[in-house]
Amino acid sequence: MNFIDYSSFFNNKNLTALISYRDKNYAIKKNCDNFIASLKIDHNKIIFPEQTHSSNVKIVGKSKHYNETDGLISTTKKYGVGVLVADCTPVFLFGIKSNHFGVIHSGWRGAANKITTKALKKFISLGNMPTEIKAVLGPSIKKCCFEIGRDVSSFFSRKNLYPKKASKFNLDLKKEIYDEVSRFGLSTKNIFSDSHCTFCDHDKFFSFRREGLSAGRMVAIMKVKNI
């Protein structure tokens, strides 16, 4: 199995929620299409945004093109959604009663600008209650490996910053997003945080911090079966 499957956490047998490993670079469309097809899903039914480390979240409608967008929410079984990641946190959201679902790409810029909160507000606008939403925080760079400068540190909670010498800090990005989700009102039993570090686990994951511009991308997708 060349992916981590979170589907069972959401307790919906018709939901697919997963992230690939680094067996191929899924930023290459052919590789991504083939991966989705291997899941017995029509790759034309998974919508990807044009990611720019923004805090923009869109609800999927008739269009298949979402520029400058780092999170998509679907309210229909017709279309699934996906994002590409390599150190940033993929956040999977699911409305237990509504079957609404979304995937968010949250790096430090997204977290600083509360992209996950913006996504959750859209869930609420669609009729979901915080207690009816589940979230998975997928693999990302962890505090052991994520060094930032003082300028970036000003965006984050002191409790998630670990001082180093020369005005440097290590940031616990995953905990920052976890706290963001918790403050919004999701029950802790409805939040799962994957413990993998994309920088440390070099055999499993791409890491932009480790590999630079040569880094490939993992793909994270969600879809409800159209049955």
Side-chain angles (χ1 to χ4, degrees):
M1 190 164 65
N2 60 338
F3 56 85
I4 303 175
D5 192 348
Y6 302 115
S7 306
S8 61
F9 175 79
F10 295 103
N11 197 31
N12 185 308
K13 64 181 181 180
N14 295 318
L15 179 70
T16 296
L18 54 84
I19 183 171
S20 71
Y21 286 122
R22 62 166 294 157
D23 54 319
K24 292 183 180 179
N25 179 5
Y26 292 108
I28 298 173
K29 188 176 186 303
K30 181 179 179 182
N31 291 341
C32 190
D33 289 349
N34 288 341
F35 175 76
I36 294 169
S38 74
L39 304 170
K40 302 188 185 320
I41 297 173
D42 180 353
H43 67 82
N44 291 308
K45 300 299 184 182
I46 303 295
I47 309 301
F48 290 87
E50 181 191 85
Q51 297 168 214
T52 58
H53 294 280
S54 70
S55 61
N56 298 323
V57 180
K58 304 287 179 61
I59 298 171
V60 172
K62 294 181 179 179
S63 174
K64 291 187 177 181
H65 302 286
Y66 298 90
N67 299 328
E68 297 184 17
T69 299
D70 284 79
L72 289 177
I73 296 168
S74 178
T75 62
T76 173
K77 295 178 180 179
K78 184 176 181 180
Y79 291 116
V81 294
V83 296
L84 300 172
V85 290
D87 280 341
C88 296
T89 306
V91 181
F92 301 78
L93 301 173
F94 182 67
I96 300 169
K97 294 184 178 181
S98 67
N99 284 350
H100 299 158
F101 58 93
V103 185
I104 313 303
H105 166 251
S106 182
W108 73 260
R109 291 177 181 84
N113 289 295
K114 301 294 187 287
I115 186 173
T116 303
T117 295
K118 291 179 180 179
L120 288 167
K121 286 181 177 179
K122 286 189 179 293
F123 265 75
I124 299 303
S125 73
L126 291 167
N128 298 275
M129 298 294 291
T131 54
E132 299 168 353
I133 301 172
K134 284 191 170 186
V136 167
L137 313 185
S140 65
I141 192 168
K142 295 184 69 177
K143 67 179 181 181
C144 52
C145 304
F146 195 16
E147 182 182 284
I148 60 173
R150 184 173 297 277
D151 54 340
V152 174
S153 72
S154 63
F155 293 110
F156 300 104
S157 169
R158 292 178 64 87
K159 69 177 181 177
N160 293 323
L161 293 169
Y162 297 82
K164 300 179 72 175
K165 61 182 180 180
S167 299
K168 298 290 185 180
F169 300 82
N170 275 23
L171 170 64
D172 192 340
L173 178 65
K174 186 74 65 69
K175 185 61 164 56
E176 190 76 18
I177 298 171
Y178 185 97
D179 291 347
E180 181 183 350
V181 171
S182 296
R183 285 194 299 270
F184 198 84
L186 274 69
S187 168
T188 54
K189 70 178 181 180
N190 286 338
I191 310 170
F192 174 75
S193 184
D194 190 301
S195 63
H196 286 100
C197 174
T198 49
F199 191 104
C200 288
D201 295 335
H202 54 84
D203 291 333
K204 293 181 179 179
F205 305 106
F206 293 112
S207 167
F208 188 84
R209 277 284 174 124
R210 189 183 63 238
E211 301 166 62
L213 294 175
S214 66
R217 297 293 187 272
M218 289 84 69
V219 59
I221 65 169
M222 290 187 85
K223 190 178 188 306
V224 173
K225 291 179 183 176
N226 192 4
I227 55 174

